Each structure stands twice: as structure tokens, then as C-alpha cells.
Amino acid sequence: MTVSLEQLRRCHVAVDLGAARTRVYVKGAGLVVDEPSVAAVNTRTGALIAVGTFAERMTGRTPDYIRVVRPVSGGTVVDIDMAQRMLRHLLGEKLRRALRRKPRLRAAACTPYDADPLAQRAAVETLVGLGARHVELVDTLIAAAVGCGLPVEQPTATMIMVCGAAATQVAVLSLGSIVTAERIPVGGEAIDHAVVQHLRHAHELMLPSQAVRPLQLALSGNGITAGGPASTLIHGRDVSTGLARSVHVDTAAVRDAIHTPLTAVLDGIGKVLRDCPPDLVADLTDRGIMMVGGSALLPGLDQMLRDATGMPVAIAERPDVCAVLGLGKMLEGKIAPMVLNPLSK
């Protein structure tokens, strides 16, 4: 990792600004914020109406003068001012006062793999606007690997797959650094979009945005692999008439629709393995792939990866919060770096 563990131990707060959820870890207090990265704004007055879970429930249900916005897209802050306002309200007045009492507040933040300088600057400015005097940036892949207990600092290969809302990141780690990695612009949102488009074209049905994930969970049993329920009753709006309508959807066809975007993820895993040194690939035959991120919980995704790669695949115990918990471990000093003693002459 580019940031030393000693620098991270001096930080007071860690933030994971994700496209789907925002999480904040405070040193000594643990995980204090885990809310959707959503804010609702009154366009007439500019006032912030709601943030987090309540704002997400307002999506698609607001009058014209209320706009529901997502200040983070693809793991990158696209609206710094709105991201700062959202974070202030998520933290609450009591916690903000406690952080302001720190003489020189230092913060750490997760950034996606291969983030460009503008994306890094946006993350830094977001936290500086909250009062941070210094901001350390840590790659999401390394933070997530630490959070799920992988031996990141050891000279053995560990492969991690971060399944986010906007993108999937795959990497092979060794000696605390990324050996080879790939960022695929396919995540949970792309899978949701594939389901919505399938229902629109095959059944002329428009599905509410918040009903896509329950549909995917309805495929549980064997999930997106064969053997699940034969059909599922779906409620939506007819494309032509605009009236409410219910249809029985063939789950096999939905599974095929979900498989289409996931082929890009499989291609990304293959590229990472091809670029990886042979000695590290040999380690991975036993260790396999560790899946983290909210989209890792998609039923049957782990089995699909086992069938495609022939390697063991495991899902972290708390896959959705691994990245921020990894940052928290670094802040608390729970990660000991491997010391290399120079050879004496």
C-alpha cells in the first residue's frame, strides 16, 4: 500500500464513500454510519430534506420540486458540495462536535483501484470540507482484504473480488501491495438494469426501481444457477397502457439476462490471472477467491465463479462493510507490518 500503517494510525476517522452506501468508522467508537448514499433536495429553496434510508425510499415517489440525488457515482464523488452536506447530516451534530474537538483531525478514505487524480482530489476535498486537516487515501482492494482477514502483508498470493454497485474490482495481492488488478464497469446496478430491460422487452412491464433486488432474491434456492423456482409473480406497470399489471416471469430467462453482464466479470478475472506471475497463481489454486461487497450476496454468484474458474470461492462474513472495517483495523493499529531485516554482510 502507498500509505504507511504508521500514517494511518494517526487518523481519527475512516470514510468509505460508495455508490450505494456511505460508511463511517470513528477510532475508538467503531462503525457509526452505514446509510445509502442518497440525498433529497428541495429545488425551490436548495434545502436538504432527507438523507440516507429515508431519502432512498423517496426515489421515484417525489413531486417535481423535490429531487433525489446521488453525490457518489462509480465510487467517485461527482458532487462535492452535496457529498459534504450528506455526510454532515449522516454524522449528526453530536458526533461532528466530538470530531471538531480533535486538534488536527486526520481522516482516511477508500478510493477505487486506478482512480484518476481528479477522483482522488474530489475525495480529499469532501473530507477537508468536513474539517479534516489531512486525508490519507487507501485502495479499496487493500482495505477490503484487511477487513475480511486475508494475510495481506505475507509473501503469498491472495485474490479478492470487490463486488460494488457500479463496478467490480478484482486483484491479486502480495506483500501488502497489488500485484495485478482489473476494474470492470459492471456491478449490482448493471445486473439490476439487465433484469429491468428483460422484463420490458419480454413482458412489456416496467418494474419499480426498488423492486429489482427482491426479484433477484426470489431466484434464491440455487439463485442465478439452474434449479431455482420455475416462475415468480412480478407486479409492475404495463408499458403501453400505463396500468398496473402482474405477470408470471420465467426465472430461467431472468437468469440468462443476469448472466449476460456477468460474462464481463469472468473476462476480468481471466485477465488478472493471465497477468499474474505463475508462482502466485499456484498459491491461488488452494486459497481461491474471496468475495466482498454488497453485490457478493447475489444468490448463486459464488457458484457461478467456481464453475467458471475451477477455484475455491468464499464470501466474507460481512462482505458489505469489509472495506471500512479494514480501514478501521488500520486506524486502531491492529495490523502489524511484516518487518524485513536487511542481511548482514
Side-chain angles (χ1 to χ4, degrees):
M1 63 185 73
T2 55
V3 182
S4 70
L5 290 172
E6 186 59 37
Q7 290 173 301
L8 289 172
R9 288 193 191 99
R10 293 199 291 268
C11 293
H12 305 97
V13 61
V15 179
D16 179 15
L17 279 168
R21 298 184 75 86
T22 293
R23 300 175 176 95
V24 180
Y25 185 102
V26 175
K27 193 173 185 178
L31 186 64
V32 296
V33 173
D34 184 3
E35 293 278 345
S37 304
V38 187
V41 185
N42 186 327
T43 57
R44 295 174 181 171
T45 63
L48 201 61
I49 297 174
V51 295
T53 303
F54 187 61
E56 187 178 48
R57 287 169 52 195
M58 296 168 66
T59 303
R61 295 180 168 91
T62 59
D64 292 340
Y65 67 91
I66 296 178
R67 187 165 58 99
V68 178
V69 297
R70 292 181 177 270
V72 184
S73 176
T76 301
V77 178
V78 293
D79 188 338
I80 296 175
D81 178 63
M82 186 57 64
Q84 290 174 351
R85 295 173 68 187
M86 180 186 73
L87 270 175
R88 288 192 195 102
H89 283 78
L90 289 177
L91 286 172
E93 183 62 32
K94 183 178 179 181
L95 187 55
R96 289 207 311 273
R97 282 201 306 266
L99 291 176
R100 281 199 297 265
R101 284 197 289 267
K102 305 288 184 184
R104 289 186 62 83
L105 181 64
R106 300 173 70 96
C110 289
T111 55
Y113 170 73
D114 206 17
D116 57 63
L118 286 178
Q120 295 178 359
R121 183 182 179 87
V124 170
E125 288 189 6
T126 299
L127 297 184
V128 168
L130 291 175
R133 299 294 185 89
H134 191 79
V135 180
E136 305 285 1
L137 299 180
V138 180
D139 199 292
T140 303
L141 290 162
I142 295 178
V146 171
C148 62
L150 293 178
V152 178
E153 296 290 337
Q154 299 302 314
T156 56
T158 53
M159 190 169 188
I160 188 164
M161 177 175 168
V162 179
C163 308
T168 299
Q169 303 172 69
V170 185
V172 175
L173 311 176
S174 181
L175 288 173
S177 298
I178 296 173
V179 178
T180 178
E182 188 74 15
R183 187 180 180 196
I184 307 111
V186 173
E189 292 175 354
I191 297 172
D192 293 350
H193 181 72
V195 174
V196 169
Q197 290 302 309
H198 166 74
L199 293 175
R200 186 183 182 93
H201 294 148
H203 301 278
E204 296 186 350
L205 193 74
M206 290 184 67
L207 198 64
S209 59
Q210 298 183 27
V212 179
R213 190 49 55 91
L215 170 60
Q216 294 176 2
L217 296 179
L219 302 179
S220 58
N222 284 329
I224 60 174
T225 58
S231 64
T232 304
L233 183 64
I234 301 299
H235 308 284
R237 190 181 77 180
D238 190 278
V239 172
S240 57
T241 66
L243 300 176
R245 186 162 63 92
S246 301
V247 296
H248 282 277
V249 176
D250 180 17
T251 51
V254 177
R255 283 194 291 269
D256 291 340
I258 291 175
H259 273 278
T260 302
L262 290 179
T263 53
V265 177
L266 297 178
D267 292 342
I269 293 175
K271 185 177 185 304
V272 169
L273 292 174
R274 287 193 298 272
D275 296 341
C276 189
D279 291 341
L280 294 181
V281 174
D283 292 343
L284 295 175
T285 55
D286 296 327
R287 294 180 176 271
I289 306 172
M290 177 64 75
M291 294 175 59
V292 301
S295 299
L297 298 172
L298 182 66
L301 179 58
D302 54 340
Q303 186 59 47
M304 176 185 172
L305 294 179
R306 289 189 196 98
D307 296 339
T309 63
M311 294 192 303
V313 177
I315 302 177
E317 185 178 350
R318 299 180 64 188
D320 51 339
V321 294
C322 278
V324 72
L325 291 183
L327 279 180
K329 287 183 178 180
M330 298 177 195
L331 264 61
E332 303 282 4
K334 296 180 180 179
I335 306 299
M338 188 179 67
V339 178
L340 299 176
N341 294 321
L343 296 175
S344 57
K345 294 183 180 180

